[in-house]
Amino acid sequence: QVQLVESGGGSVQPGGSLRLSCAYSQLRYCMGWFRQAAGKEREGVAMRSTGGSTWYDASVTGRFTISQDNANKTLYLEMNNLKPEDTATYYCGANPKTCSFNLRYWSWGQGTQATVSS
């Protein structure tokens, strides 16, 4: 069972930046970030395969960047030009089978809250 621990959430004003980190115990085929806003379903934000391919949801393309430090077993999500609609709990995920924003096969961390408000 992979262990995932997120950190780096907080409160920022619109236009601000946050960097989320996820310490993982084992690398899986696909590592990613999902988010869940209050009253809404969990949705994919960004993911990265072991081969280095990356995918982003259209709502964050150009603003968010996913990266990975395999030596330190850490996954990152750099979030720039944040908007109020980015407010959510952000979850780190690991998938041994596929890179897909479909929620099947993903394991999750406990989440970290990011709030964007003026």
Side-chain angles (χ1 to χ4, degrees):
Q1 183 82 7
V2 62
Q3 303 297 317
L4 304 162
V5 180
E6 302 96 333
S7 60
S11 295
V12 297
Q13 294 186 341
S17 299
L18 283 174
R19 189 192 196 199
L20 306 183
S21 299
C22 171
Y24 54 86
S25 61
Q26 299 175 61
L27 182 65
R28 291 291 184 256
Y29 172 72
C30 193
M31 306 294 291
W33 290 95
F34 288 68
R35 66 186 178 187
Q36 188 165 13
K40 295 188 177 182
E41 294 185 351
R42 191 169 300 189
E43 62 178 8
V45 175
M47 55 189 177
R48 186 180 187 278
S49 73
T50 51
S53 297
T54 57
W55 295 265
Y56 296 91
D57 182 77
S59 66
V60 307
T61 298
R63 301 188 298 123
F64 290 13
T65 303
I66 188 171
S67 62
Q68 194 164 352
D69 181 347
N70 288 328
N72 291 304
K73 294 185 177 180
T74 305
L75 184 74
Y76 300 101
L77 184 68
E78 186 75 34
M79 306 189 295
N80 297 315
N81 190 21
L82 283 161
K83 305 175 181 181
E85 52 264 41
D86 294 318
T87 295
T89 300
Y90 283 74
Y91 296 91
C92 176
N95 190 322
K97 293 183 178 292
T98 183
C99 266
S100 168
F101 285 146
N102 185 294
L103 300 183
R104 193 177 183 188
Y105 302 125
W106 288 92
S107 299
W108 311 104
Q110 83 289 350
T112 185
Q113 178 68 32
T115 302
V116 185
S117 174
S118 56

